[in-house]
Amino acid sequence: MRFRHPDGSTVHLAYCTNVHPAETLEGVLGQLRDHCEPVRRRLGRDRLGIGLWLAKGAAKALINDPVALRGLRAELDRRGLEVVTLNGFPYEGFGAEEVKYRVYKPDWADPERLAHTSDLARLLAALLPDDITEGSVSTLPLGWRTAWDATAADTARTALTTLAERLDALEELTGKSISVALEPEPGCTVETTADAIKPLTGLAPHRIGVCVDTCHLATSFEDPTTALDALAAARIAIPKAQLSAALHAEQPHLPEVREALAAFAEPRFLHQTRARTAAGLLGTDDLDEALAGDTLPDNTPWRSHFHVPLHAPPAPPLTSTLPVLRDALTRLVGGPAPLTRHLEVETYTWQALPAEQRPRSRGRLADGIAAELTLARDLLIDLGLKELP
């Protein structure tokens, strides 16, 4: 979905396909047929943007077979879909029964992360619509915090410098400008937008920036305006933003609140949980740890890294951090010029929701994704953007 910003530039809205597990090229093609095109049809659009997730196996198949890559591009066109951004955070296995800490491997101290991200940039340059010259790839924020030391940090910086050089060469070759964005996430070595400033300062700002995920922003209790203004002051680019909402518990000391939270503690994904105190932010790596222990005080609100559907917040006594998303979006695209032109709805946890809230069919899932995109579209229109055909 494309929108015209009041400054005349085009802002893109997509939804991320990591909600549909697929490790192979065949699986990706099935996603387009079974999920993405039905969402487009529900929205009544001739064209729908998708934030494509290409796992290691699918990416390698496309890199090694130019015919297959052209076939994917043709299939996107045939189904009324377009790609301006890739989600390069998960490497493989994102549809496994247990993902948890595996999603942070390989990290940016591992040469395979550089190789994979370089491949994704090349693929995106080939998949961009003919009238679009800028693409973005989001990636993990260097690595998980444990065992991350000065040597790993130096290795990662060298890898990102090499990546920037490759992206420059790619633009010279193709005329397509691809940027890569580190996505701050609770528990990682770059947990907040503030954490991103030091490692990114002076590092090819036109190529390497930050992906602002509004669920992660909210989980860490970051104020959107403060966070985004600090990035702007440091001249850190925002190649893309992910529109998502976290789980919020205002009164975690109440038994009914803890019971409601327990329904969201599940075995597949990590749900880092945070509480803001006078002494600073306290946290656990997962929601069940927060509920079982005394690490977090229960006299102050908790937020958990669980991407809840934008249009359907959890029932009371819980809620979502949709207000944080609204505030962030206002700062991102509501000013005289957009801070980013790539927006991606990223609710990948539909099948991890409490049983009674999970979509029971492909059709129900498509309905939910279309409803999220409709909400995001309405927010953009309210900010003065004009939806384009």
Side-chain angles (χ1 to χ4, degrees), residues 34 103-104 150 257 268 290 323 325 343 346 355:
D34 298 334
V103 76
Y104 307 106
V257 174
R268 186 171 173 187
L325 184 159
L343 303 172
E346 197 214 12

Side-chain angles (χ1 to χ4, degrees), residues 280-359:
L281 207 61
L282 298 178
T284 61
D285 283 357
D286 219 339
L287 179 55
D288 54 359
E289 296 174 29
L291 292 168
D294 57 2
T295 302
L296 302 185
D298 63 6
N299 60 351
T300 188
W302 291 3
R303 289 177 177 173
S304 189
H305 172 218
F306 195 116
H307 290 223
V308 296
L310 302 186
H311 70 293
L318 303 178
T319 187
S320 81
T321 60
L322 186 62
V324 177
L325 184 159
R326 288 195 182 101
D327 289 347
L329 192 60
T330 298
R331 183 69 182 88
L332 285 166
V333 301
L339 300 183
T340 185
R341 288 187 289 274
H342 293 172
L343 303 172
E344 178 183 75
V345 171
E346 197 214 12
T347 304
Y348 59 83
T349 44
W350 283 93
Q351 298 305 330
L353 290 167
E356 66 276 8
Q357 299 176 36
R358 296 174 198 165

Side-chain angles (χ1 to χ4, degrees), residues 69-203:
L69 180 55
R70 289 195 295 272
L72 174 58
R73 171 67 185 272
E75 188 71 358
L76 288 166
D77 292 341
R78 188 169 76 87
R79 299 195 180 277
L81 306 169
E82 67 177 14
V83 176
V84 302
T85 187
L86 299 181
N87 189 328
F89 195 135
Y91 177 71
E92 61 183 347
F94 201 61
E97 291 184 4
E98 181 177 333
V99 179
K100 299 290 184 180
Y101 296 95
R102 291 171 52 189
V103 76
Y104 307 106
K105 293 293 184 179
D107 60 30
W108 274 99
D110 185 329
E112 183 51 38
R113 177 59 67 171
L114 171 61
H116 179 61
T117 310
S118 300
D119 285 348
L120 293 180
R122 289 172 55 196
L123 294 174
L124 181 56
L127 294 174
L128 284 176
D130 291 339
D131 63 336
I132 300 298
T133 59
E134 295 182 354
S136 60
V137 180
S138 50
T139 187
L140 82 162
L142 302 185
W144 188 250
R145 71 185 186 282
T146 56
W148 190 265
D149 55 19
T151 299
D154 288 344
T155 301
R157 187 173 181 86
T158 299
L160 289 171
T161 300
T162 300
L163 176 65
E165 294 168 352
R166 292 178 180 178
L167 296 176
D168 284 342
L170 182 64
E171 183 172 11
E172 287 187 18
L173 180 66
T174 66
K176 305 292 187 178
S177 177
I178 309 298
S179 299
V180 171
L182 305 186
E183 181 185 332
E185 177 168 313
C188 292
T189 185
V190 175
E191 176 160 336
T192 66
T193 55
D195 294 335
I197 292 175
K198 182 178 179 180
L200 289 181
T201 297
L203 184 66

